[in-house]
Amino acid sequence: MSALPRAFAFLAACLTLLAGYTWLTLSWSYSTGERAGYVQKFSHKGWLCKTWEGELAMVAMPGTLSEKFAFSVRDETVAAKMNASMGQRVALVYEQHVGVPTSCFGDTSYFITDVKLVEAPASLPAAPTTPPTTPPAAAPPVAAPSSSVY
């Protein structure tokens, strides 16, 4: 066997292993979950491999700093759903894929699989609108019996 067919066989084996590894990392998820917040950035970017990338601002308690959650979207229908829900509170369902060999599938390891709208938290009950009742008018003072001596 000459050197050229061996080189092609080695190259084909390497490409097959790389394709198998890529398929495995994209089909097997390390973790799954949901994160809720407001999508503050979502864009379609890349030179050769265009991917949808975004950031979710998660606020734990009012008045605290928000934590950012960077994510990628591979599905065009999920990206359209994401664009339709901009500015609203959402819950993002994600799968984490560790070890993806290239950024052509996304810049992050968190891939969004669904977007759910979350209703705003219930506000405190409103104060009653009826005016306060006025106390009943006081009865006129009763005259004390006079103490007259006979």
Side-chain angles (χ1 to χ4, degrees):
M1 197 177 213
S2 69
L4 192 58
R6 276 192 223 162
F8 281 131
F10 179 73
L11 183 62
C14 288
L15 289 176
T16 303
L17 285 173
L18 180 64
Y21 176 75
T22 303
W23 175 81
L24 182 66
T25 59
L26 289 174
S27 63
W28 177 73
S29 65
Y30 175 73
S31 70
T32 59
E34 286 187 17
R35 304 255 178 134
Y38 297 92
V39 177
Q40 67 179 15
K41 181 172 122 179
F42 191 60
S43 61
H44 197 219
K45 66 182 201 172
W47 291 107
L48 183 60
C49 303
K50 293 271 192 196
T51 60
W52 288 96
E53 305 297 328
E55 284 183 357
L56 181 77
M58 300 182 302
V59 179
M61 293 176 45
T64 62
L65 292 175
S66 64
E67 180 183 344
K68 292 181 184 177
F69 173 65
F71 60 87
S72 300
V73 177
R74 294 176 49 206
D75 188 1
E76 289 294 325
T77 57
V78 174
K81 202 173 178 181
M82 182 85 65
N83 277 321
S85 64
M86 291 293 284
Q88 300 174 24
R89 185 171 168 83
V90 294
L92 302 181
V93 180
Y94 70 88
E95 292 180 351
Q96 183 181 10
H97 295 273
V98 179
V100 178
T102 177
S103 65
C104 274
F105 300 103
D107 287 346
T108 70
S109 63
Y110 297 99
F111 296 97
I112 304 304
T113 58
D114 195 15
V115 179
K116 301 176 190 177
L117 287 177
V118 177
E119 299 202 13
S123 60
L124 296 175
T129 57
T130 58
T133 58
T134 56
V142 179
S146 59
S147 57
S148 49
V149 177
Y150 290 89

